[in-house]
Amino acid sequence: MKGNVFLVGAGPGDAQLITLKGLECIKKADVIVYDRLVSKKLLDYKKKHCELIYVGKKSSHHTKTQEEINEIMYQKAMEGKVVTRLKGGDPYIFGRGGEEAQYLKEKKIDVEVIPGITSAIGGLAYAGIPITHRNHASSFHVITGHLKEEEKDLNWKVLAKLKGTLVFLMGMSELEHITQNLIKNGMKEDTPVAVINWATTNKQTVVTGTLKDIYEITLKKALSSPSIIVVGRVVNLRQDLNFFENKPLYGKKILVTRARNQASKLTQKIYELGGTSIEFPVIQIKDLSNQPSIIQEIQRIEQYNYIIFTSQNGAKLFFHRFFSLGLDIRKLANMTIVSIGKATAKEIEKYHLHVDIIPKKYIAEGIFEELKDRLVPEDKILIPRAKNSRDFLIEQLSNICLVKELKIYETLLGEGVESKEKIKNLLKKKEIDYVTFTSSSTVRNLIKILKNPKILQDIKLISIGPITSKAIENFGLNVYKQAKNYDIDGLIEILKQD
């Protein structure tokens, strides 16, 4: 049975500019054939055993010829597979999508085209340039930068007389040719021009000038492909409408050391503020909740009248085991529930439970301050927590009443060890602006992976709270800033204000 092919426009670079339908095609694909300018973040949405085939093209270097790309899609579809062909921008705007669709149709393969946001529009928008504006341009014209094909050139006389916006794609190697020919054919030398490099990505760089000087400006800035060339008065609106490059973390690279399954919230917030999150998970969580002694204690939960959660992981793994044992949530009816902070409280509230106590300071000392005058010797406290957590809370509360800890998980050296050389190089070259630490174990493990604390000496180290800060200082390093509120939002506030 034959498969089918989806030709999907992946947008101009920002992964979130994919369409909903395009994303669905990625999720259900057996094979993804993708180009150089497609955001690699989109590949994170693939299903588990999806085959990835890179067919990127760069000037003077093609990993696959167009004929080979066509044949790959055909052969994979003939194997009965769903093939998603991811193309930068829109498949039908200078992307040879039409040729690919024709080839597959001739081979009797079903093809569906999913439009995408072209860089000719999306890239301009992210540079603060509206492609049309009723006071400046009532039309636009998108032109391929591959200007000389079989000795044929563009009709420069017509282009020079157009009153709308001219957008040249794939034209950086011909920029001087473009500007000279527009001037020769009557367009004014002072016509505004912008060049947008790596549009909509964290590497976006925009330079502006005129037809007369833009070529020299781009040489000084050493801009190359992929770039968009924009000619017209709408370029002047950039100074008022530029939003992307004005985000507080624009251009900043931030190392996130959390476990991979926890990094998403911090990564997303960094992205929304214009920064680049480099995920380097130095810890991973090992579930210990299936141990007989832990299961036994969870089954006896009704004997306790307090339960204290000191982390999201502890709460998540406790409730996972609780419900997997077939227990009824009413077993917790008479318990006082304590959470170390708001993030952990949100995890608990997912199970339709009310958190009774959240300390003012999101650390073990804060919990002790809240409880020390409430507790009586008859109280019984259960604390599901990490195996290698600090003993402060256990020791202090045990002086008042019965305390039972459940070592429900363990933090181990994370997956980041696999890409340590890459991270080392970025740190040595000072290409990382900040390193965020969300626990003392992220500090210890990063140092263990890097094997040299000195590599972090000139990097801005951001700590989530005092315990984490102390761990940083124990390695002879300086804490650049510490969050006022000891949670992810507190970290983000520090980054925003810097």
Side-chain angles (χ1 to χ4, degrees):
M1 183 178 177
K2 290 181 185 177
N4 61 301
V5 176
F6 294 101
L7 293 182
V8 177
D14 183 340
Q16 291 197 345
L17 294 181
I18 187 90
T19 63
L20 288 174
K21 193 166 186 179
L23 190 60
E24 285 303 311
C25 292
I26 292 170
K27 290 178 178 179
K28 65 187 174 186
D30 301 309
V31 181
I32 295 176
V33 181
Y34 65 102
D35 283 345
R36 171 183 169 232
L37 300 183
V38 169
S39 171
K40 303 304 180 289
K41 289 182 180 180
L42 290 174
L43 303 179
D44 292 341
Y45 293 97
K46 68 179 178 63
K47 61 186 183 183
K48 190 172 182 180
H49 298 296
C50 176
E51 181 183 1
L52 298 177
I53 302 175
Y54 176 67
V55 294
K57 297 176 183 178
K58 191 176 181 180
S59 181
S60 303
H61 178 69
H62 293 184
T63 56
K64 301 287 182 184
T65 65
Q66 187 60 54
E67 291 71 23
E68 288 173 324
I69 295 170
N70 294 345
E71 190 63 18
I72 287 169
M73 291 188 290
Y74 168 66
Q75 291 296 341
K76 293 298 179 182
M78 287 300 292
E79 292 172 15
K81 295 178 178 177
V82 175
V83 181
T84 292
R85 170 75 168 108
L86 275 184
K87 302 176 72 66
D90 179 272
Y92 280 178
I93 298 181
F94 305 136
R96 303 186 76 167
E99 296 172 39
E100 293 178 2
Q102 281 181 310
Y103 178 89
L104 293 166
K105 280 291 186 182
E106 289 169 3
K107 297 279 190 176
K108 310 298 182 187
I109 300 295
D110 288 338
V111 182
E112 186 172 342
V113 178
I114 316 301
I117 297 174
T118 173
S119 60
I121 295 174
L124 270 64
Y126 269 50
I129 302 171
I131 198 165
T132 65
H133 187 288
R134 66 178 182 170
N135 295 330
H136 300 281
S138 57
S139 65
F140 65 88
H141 313 269
V142 183
I143 305 141
T144 178
H146 292 166
L147 302 178
K148 295 179 179 178
E149 204 164 329
E150 297 179 2
E151 303 302 318
K152 292 181 180 178
D153 207 349
L154 295 172
N155 190 331
W156 293 107
K157 286 185 179 179
V158 172
L159 289 175
K161 289 181 173 61
L162 294 171
K163 301 301 181 185
T165 306
L166 303 184
V167 181
F168 293 87
L169 302 182
M170 303 174 292
M172 276 304 285
S173 62
E174 297 288 344
L175 179 58
E176 186 177 26
H177 181 77
I178 291 168
T179 54
Q180 287 180 352
N181 276 282
L182 288 173
I183 292 169
K184 284 178 185 176
N185 285 275
M187 191 172 280
K188 292 181 179 179
E189 286 186 341
D190 62 355
T191 301
V193 182
V195 173
I196 310 163
N197 183 241
W198 285 105
T200 80
T201 74
N202 62 292
K203 296 188 284 185
Q204 176 173 300
T205 302
V206 183
V207 297
T208 57
T210 64
L211 282 177
K212 183 178 180 180
D213 61 18
I214 193 65
Y215 177 65
E216 293 299 325
I217 291 171
T218 57
L219 286 180
K220 288 177 182 177
K221 292 286 185 178
L223 295 188
S224 58
S225 66
S227 290
I228 308 162
I229 302 162
V230 190
V231 181
R233 294 195 318 184
V234 289
V235 169
N236 290 334
L237 299 174
R238 169 175 158 76
Q239 59 187 348
D240 296 323
L241 301 181
N242 178 21
F243 70 93
F244 185 57
E245 295 154 64
N246 291 331
K247 290 189 174 188
L249 295 182
Y250 176 75
K252 301 295 184 184
K253 293 181 180 178
I254 300 157
L255 192 68
V256 175
T257 56
R258 299 192 94 190
R260 195 175 299 282
N261 63 337
Q262 292 180 297
S264 57
K265 181 182 178 183
L266 181 54
T267 293
Q268 181 62 26
K269 286 181 177 289
I270 290 169
Y271 163 81
E272 289 170 358
L273 294 168
T276 300
S277 170
I278 302 169
E279 291 189 12
F280 187 56
V282 299
I283 62 171
Q284 55 182 322
I285 307 303
K286 182 181 179 181
D287 183 0
L288 304 177
S289 68
N290 60 348
Q291 295 181 3
S293 59
I294 292 176
I295 290 173
Q296 182 182 358
E297 216 58 49
I298 292 174
Q299 289 172 327
R300 302 168 53 202
I301 190 74
E302 288 168 296
Q303 69 176 314
Y304 298 96
N305 61 327
Y306 277 84
I307 186 166
I308 301 174
F309 293 102
T310 59
S311 69
Q312 286 176 268
N313 287 317
K316 186 182 295 184
L317 293 172
F318 173 85
F319 285 109
H320 171 75
R321 187 58 55 193
F322 181 92
F323 289 114
S324 71
L325 293 171
L327 299 179
D328 192 315
I329 198 68
R330 286 173 289 187
K331 280 183 171 287
L332 306 178
N334 298 316
M335 297 189 76
T336 297
I337 299 175
V338 183
S339 167
I340 198 167
K342 291 181 180 178
T344 302
K346 284 183 180 178
E347 182 64 39
I348 297 165
E349 288 162 0
K350 288 178 183 178
Y351 308 99
H352 308 289
L353 290 167
H354 174 72
V355 175
D356 301 292
I357 299 171
I358 302 175
K360 292 176 183 177
K361 292 184 177 180
Y362 301 163
I363 52 176
E365 286 80 354
I367 292 177
F368 178 68
E369 287 300 314
E370 289 285 341
L371 295 182
K372 67 180 182 178
D373 296 326
R374 297 175 184 238
L375 297 172
V376 296
E378 292 74 29
D379 286 322
K380 294 181 179 180
I381 303 173
L382 186 68
I383 307 181
R385 66 186 199 135
K387 183 178 179 180
N388 41 1
S389 294
R390 290 191 306 138
D391 291 328
F392 173 85
L393 196 58
I394 302 293
E395 292 173 351
Q396 296 299 315
L397 294 179
S398 294
N399 292 328
I400 303 173
C401 62
L402 176 74
V403 177
K404 176 69 177 179
E405 65 170 326
L406 293 185
K407 295 179 179 179
I408 205 163
Y409 71 96
E410 185 177 10
T411 56
L412 304 174
L413 204 62
E415 308 159 66
V417 69
E418 298 172 6
S419 52
K420 67 177 180 180
E421 293 306 321
K422 174 186 172 185
I423 298 302
K424 276 185 180 180
N425 288 333
L426 290 173
L427 290 167
K428 286 176 181 176
K429 293 176 182 177
K430 306 294 186 288
E431 292 182 14
I432 289 176
D433 298 287
Y434 303 94
V435 178
T436 59
F437 294 107
T438 55
S439 66
S440 53
S441 57
T442 60
V443 179
R444 290 191 297 270
N445 284 10
L446 180 62
I447 300 298
K448 189 173 182 179
I449 290 169
L450 297 177
K451 296 182 179 178
N452 180 12
K454 291 182 179 178
I455 200 171
L456 297 171
Q457 276 184 339
D458 298 322
I459 308 295
K460 294 176 179 177
L461 307 182
I462 308 293
S463 165
I464 199 168
I467 308 304
T468 304
S469 295
K470 187 176 180 181
I472 294 170
E473 290 164 351
N474 285 344
F475 285 100
L477 297 168
N478 294 320
V479 176
Y480 179 66
K481 286 187 179 179
Q482 177 184 292
K484 292 178 181 177
N485 294 321
Y486 311 151
D487 57 14
I488 296 304
D489 290 331
L491 275 181
I492 288 295
E493 282 305 310
I494 287 293
L495 289 168
K496 282 169 60 177
Q497 293 167 14
D498 193 45

